[in-house]
Amino acid sequence: MKKKRFTEEQIIGALKEHESGCKVEDICRRYGIAQGTFYRWKSKYGGMEVSDAKRL
């Protein structure tokens, strides 16, 4: 099984950065991900807190 590169905490942190006003392009460059990956994360983890993600 493939190991995940980012933890749920890191993913939610990236989404929080976007909510605080950072551009998607800047976040993707910082984390080394594609924009499609960011929007997939947003659809899966959007609106969650770290404690919510741990319950998944």
Side-chain angles (χ1 to χ4, degrees), residues 24 28-29 31-41:
V24 174
C28 291
R29 191 175 309 117
Y31 285 90
I33 59 172
Q35 287 186 4
T37 302
F38 178 82
Y39 288 113
R40 189 171 8 145
W41 287 355

Side-chain angles (χ1 to χ4, degrees), residues 2 7 9 17-18 31-32 37 43 45 47-48 55:
K2 185 177 178 183
T7 63
E9 292 87 4
E17 287 180 36
H18 177 63
Y31 285 90
T37 302
S43 69
Y45 296 103
M48 284 188 168
R55 273 190 260 146

